[in-house]
Amino acid sequence: MSGKLRVIGGKPLVGEVEVRGAKNFVSKAMVAALLARDTSVLRNVPRIRDVDVVSSLLRLHGVEIDYDQEAGTLAITPGDIHLPDDPVEMDRLAGSSRIPILFAGPLLHALGEAFIPDLGGCHIGDRPVDFHMQVLEDFGAKRIQEDAGMHLVAPNGLTAKPVHLPYPSVGATEQTLLTAVMARGITELSGAAVEPEIKDLIAVLQKMGAIISVDTDRTIHIEGVEELRGYSHTALPDRIEAGSWACAALATGGDIFVRGADQQAMTSFLNVYRKVGGAFEVTDDGIRFWHPGGELKSIPLQTDVHPGFMTDWQQPLVVALTQATGISVIHETVYENRFGFTKALVDMGANVQTYRECLGGLQCRFGHLNYHHSAVVQGPTPLTGTDVEVPDLRGGFSHLIAALAAHGESIVSGIDIIDRGYENFMQKLYALGAEVEKID
Ligand code: EPU
């Protein structure tokens, strides 16, 4: 991974940043456009690398993309799509993304076949795709394993089957939605994920002509239709990015107004923020987050699927917790391997220990396995700048926050990965008064 940043930390971040559409929605809405033949228009699209990667993947399938980066408007016209004409490029692009697996349903509907390259994405656990494959195969797809990935065929089309997810996986829920909307018959999906990004994807599919209803008990009913049309939609704001800046304000003793942050999607985050001792004020245009002075408080915290505290907020919050008084106990229940980033915090002077056991009461599905998925943070500990290597997207941003909170100089390497999910983060850092300089 490339890109190096020199950070002189120890200064509060103060000012305003804007968040645009959610990375984890925009990429899925782009795939949904493949279900129609005419143009879909997506607004509030952030300038992040994941959007470029999915645009390139779509282009390889013959889709026309017209992207006005300044306005954040993306017009997607599938027209006559085909299998990728450049498998080497397809493989290269897939190496940085997990989105290609979601192309399966729309391509099987349009072409009767799909090619799914081996997947990339952040290394925060095994990240299997067994739930995805179960849905596709139950609906009638046949898998032919090839060297660079898998070829899927469904010569007789796809037929709805009941789906029960053993865990409310975001990706597998999206896979089921994107496959079931045009399958023959009615799909009852139980054990579904109900993240706000999924609700927004359902809104997009409904605009396209899909028939989907969501019950209160994680059950979704999808009635297959023969044809869908293009949509026009404004993406919901990125609550992970908003939470990351909120944690940056807390860890550096700063004050950041996050324009575009949405309270509804961040309820559990805001509750925890308040318990830790952070202050926030919700306005019509966004949320102001700040450190009100005095001591921050340690907390017990468990990550969970929505409406729980999301795993993607865990890493930036842990940085702030190194500055809280007392012992915080964090139990990560979504990914088995999301504490690797704490090693760099320890190198900076934080007191963080990780454990295999489920700490904090509840047993999770990793409890009997050999993964360090609980952490104990004892604070407050002053942080001192050091050289760190970015491990993954959220862990990387957390290293950046730690370097900004730490006294002295840090060299943060591998920062290019942060562009995948944080729009214009360098400009935003400058706007907040951070002393940072790209050195490679
Ligand atoms: N899982 C399986 N089998 C599957 C699918 C998932 O065992 O077939 C497991 C995973 O290994 C994991 C858990 O289920 O332990 C949850 O995974 P999920 O499918 O919900 O995650 P995802 O769809 O791969 C999306 C986001 C992640 C975010 C999670 C949880 C995208 C592109 N990624 O991943 O975002 O952490 O949902 O909210 O939407 C990020 O933005 O940095 C990021 C990692």
Side-chain angles (χ1 to χ4, degrees):
M1 280 184 276
S2 56
K4 262 191 194 162
L5 207 58
R6 174 180 292 121
V7 180
I8 310 292
K11 282 192 354 192
L13 295 185
V14 178
E16 176 176 324
V17 295
E18 183 179 4
V19 293
R20 294 207 281 178
K23 158 179 127 21
N24 290 347
F25 162 77
V26 165
S27 46
K28 325 301 171 58
M30 291 172 73
V31 178
L34 269 179
L35 290 160
R37 301 280 62 83
D38 56 339
T39 303
S40 291
V41 177
L42 188 58
R43 289 179 298 277
N44 203 24
V45 175
R47 215 179 299 172
I48 52 173
R49 207 161 66 250
D50 264 23
V51 169
D52 296 335
V53 168
V54 181
S55 297
S56 301
L57 286 167
L58 288 167
R59 281 199 190 96
L60 284 176
H61 288 84
V63 177
E64 206 182 300
I65 304 279
D66 188 0
Y67 184 18
D68 180 339
Q69 294 198 339
E70 212 48 55
T73 306
L74 196 57
I76 307 163
T77 310
D80 291 323
I81 56 172
H82 50 72
L83 285 193
D85 36 24
D86 185 346
V88 177
E89 178 64 359
M90 180 79 176
D91 194 46
R92 190 187 67 78
L93 290 166
S96 60
S97 173
R98 300 189 57 75
I99 303 300
I101 187 83
L102 295 178
F103 279 55
L107 289 178
L108 286 168
H109 286 306
L111 305 172
E113 60 179 334
F115 176 74
I116 311 298
D118 294 332
L119 301 180
C122 288
H123 300 293
I124 48 184
D126 267 356
R127 307 192 79 183
V129 289
D130 50 337
F131 306 162
H132 296 247
M133 293 317 302
Q134 186 75 46
V135 174
L136 293 166
E137 289 179 337
D138 282 356
F139 276 51
K142 303 262 174 296
R143 178 201 327 208
I144 304 149
Q145 196 58 43
E146 294 177 357
D147 282 350
M150 64 183 147
H151 189 194
L152 293 168
V153 290
N156 303 318
L158 298 172
T159 305
K161 286 276 159 27
V163 177
H164 175 73
L165 297 179
Y167 183 79
S169 150
V170 169
T173 300
E174 293 160 344
Q175 180 74 262
T176 309
L177 288 167
L178 291 166
T179 305
V181 280
M182 288 183 77
R184 278 187 297 269
I186 297 176
T187 302
E188 183 179 278
L189 162 61
S190 55
V194 290
E195 268 59 8
E197 292 76 16
I198 289 179
K199 296 274 181 62
D200 217 22
L201 181 63
I202 291 174
V204 159
L205 293 168
Q206 188 175 51
K207 286 178 176 176
M208 297 178 83
I211 302 172
I212 304 172
S213 59
V214 184
D215 293 349
T216 48
D217 61 348
R218 295 194 178 277
T219 303
I220 301 179
H221 297 269
I222 309 136
E223 206 171 313
V225 297
E226 282 186 8
E227 210 180 12
L228 293 172
R229 55 183 173 274
Y231 63 81
S232 171
H233 191 77
T234 300
L236 85 168
D238 198 310
R239 63 195 172 119
I240 306 178
E241 185 183 354
S244 302
W245 290 116
C247 293
L250 205 54
T252 63
D255 187 336
I256 302 179
F257 179 67
V258 184
R259 187 169 293 281
D262 173 35
Q263 178 186 16
Q264 299 286 338
M266 296 185 73
T267 312
S268 57
F269 179 86
L270 295 174
N271 288 337
V272 169
Y273 202 76
R274 181 164 278 159
K275 283 187 190 167
V276 173
F280 65 87
E281 183 186 15
V282 180
T283 73
D284 288 348
D285 303 322
I287 307 179
R288 176 186 162 209
F289 296 94
W290 74 99
H291 189 313
E295 286 188 353
L296 296 180
K297 299 179 207 85
S298 54
I299 48 158
L301 178 70
Q302 175 155 294
T303 65
D304 209 343
V305 294
H306 190 75
F309 187 92
M310 55 182 329
T311 169
D312 305 279
W313 289 322
Q314 178 262 106
Q315 289 157 305
L317 188 75
V318 162
V319 180
L321 289 176
T322 65
Q323 303 310 304
T325 304
I327 294 176
S328 294
V329 178
I330 303 111
H331 183 199
E332 169 61 61
T333 75
V334 180
Y335 292 112
E336 66 274 30
N337 193 14
R338 216 172 192 178
F339 282 123
F341 77 104
T342 59
K343 186 183 169 305
L345 303 186
V346 171
D347 290 347
M348 289 180 167
N351 186 344
V352 185
Q353 271 153 7
T354 58
Y355 295 87
R356 290 188 185 83
E357 292 76 14
C358 298
L359 298 184
L362 287 173
Q363 276 292 114
C364 79
R365 65 211 156 101
F366 308 131
H368 58 291
L369 301 173
N370 207 18
Y371 300 110
H372 284 240
H373 69 292
S374 294
V376 172
V377 182
Q378 184 160 16
T381 44
L383 301 179
T384 310
T386 186
D387 294 356
V388 290
E389 178 82 35
V390 162
D392 59 72
L393 175 60
R394 308 298 168 196
F397 195 80
S398 305
H399 283 175
L400 206 48
I401 298 176
L404 289 159
H407 287 276
E409 179 182 296
S410 296
I411 304 293
V412 186
S413 306
I415 55 150
D416 285 359
I417 197 172
I418 297 175
D419 286 331
R420 267 194 53 208
Y422 292 88
E423 181 177 39
N424 292 338
F425 76 92
M426 284 299 292
Q427 285 87 331
K428 289 178 184 173
L429 288 174
Y430 292 136
L432 295 171
E435 212 177 322
V436 289
E437 180 197 4
K438 228 171 167 178
I439 51 175
D440 189 8

